[in-house]
Amino acid sequence: MDPIKNPFSPGAGSPPPELVGRDATLDQARILLGRVKLKRPEKSLLLTGLRGVGKTVLLNEIEYLAKEAGYRTIFIEAHENKALGPLIAPYLRGLLFDLNRIAGISDKVRRGFAVLRSFLGTLEFTVDDVTIGLDIDSEKGSADSGDIEIDLPNLFVAVGEAAEDRKCAVAILIDEIQYFSQKELGALIMAVHKIQQRQLPLVLLGAGLPILPGLAGESKSYAERLFSFPDIGALSEEDTMIALKGPAQASGVTFEYSALKEIFRLTKGYPYFVQEWGYQAWNLAKTSPITLQVVQEATVAVIPRLDKNFFRVRFDRLIPSEKRFLRAMAEFGPGAHRTGDIADMLDVKISSLGPVRSRLIRKGMIYSPAYGDMTFTVPLFDEFMIRAIPKLRA
């Protein structure tokens, strides 16, 4: 079949041809956006889930909903080695210029610029080798303490007041939010708290790994009263089949039922893998329907592609001790495993694994669903580790 017309789209953050199984989360987002515009309290959303479940896709869809509802939006991707202040400041600067264009500068927008100028004064950074600046005096005493837990809430309030003055609302969307430090995450939580207290039309929506609820709770104990943490998981078998059948049928192609069952068995419903198997099966099929045999042949092509494009990029960031830890985890198969069992597998004291485990958590490779347990953040990574390192060496 024509590969140019292939409807499936494996890729980081690539929108699938049919978004299924996420209606409840999108409804939550619609309600949140609607209530914030009416200045009614509602918990903000921080989406959590493993790699490859479609959190970024959902966050992009929520941004679309916000724009449809009249919001001004900014979309930020957090980085492992970039601080929150330098990351967010250029986006807020652009947002204030956008608010300024609505009907000419107002006192509230001018104050927003002044507070941002104060905030910028506490930072030393450039974007594309050009220092970010504003041709406006700073507001002394506002967002200029150098403590982000004090300054960011004041800056968010100034932006929220500027938006309120322009009779519009603002949505700040942040992906990979778990990469921020505890203090930076605390600053975001405090900023949301202050915005809700003032009933300003600004909302924060984010996405991150399953460690995010724990990180938020450790940073500020009241985080659970400010945020909902929808768990974005694998698709059900029914939704997996819909995600495959719908786009194919739109192009006049069908799947045999046995082929759909096999893709679900292989992918376990994880959206990224569903798209990858659908993509390869389409390209291999000569005619419709796509058969079980075609899916089995596609698997031969899919595994090396996943190893190279999805798993290997994460594996290559690891040092030898981290690879040994993960290889030992992989020996136990999928699911959560006791750190003590991993230590026994490696024939080392459990205390010696603490630094390695902490680094792997910071790198987003594993997380702890319960005290003493560890599990992979990347679906099917246990199988990849065994392929990458066939024999575990103590």
Side-chain angles (χ1 to χ4, degrees), residues 90-112:
Y91 291 94
L92 293 178
R93 177 177 178 270
L95 173 66
L96 286 168
F97 276 116
D98 187 31
L99 294 176
N100 181 38
R101 284 193 290 268
I102 293 175
I105 196 164
S106 70
D107 289 342
K108 293 293 185 182
V109 175
R110 186 179 291 107
R111 180 174 184 271

Side-chain angles (χ1 to χ4, degrees), residues 139-153:
E139 181 174 289
K140 300 298 183 184
S142 296
D144 59 1
S145 72
D147 185 337
I148 197 165
E149 287 191 318
I150 297 172
D151 296 341
L152 192 69

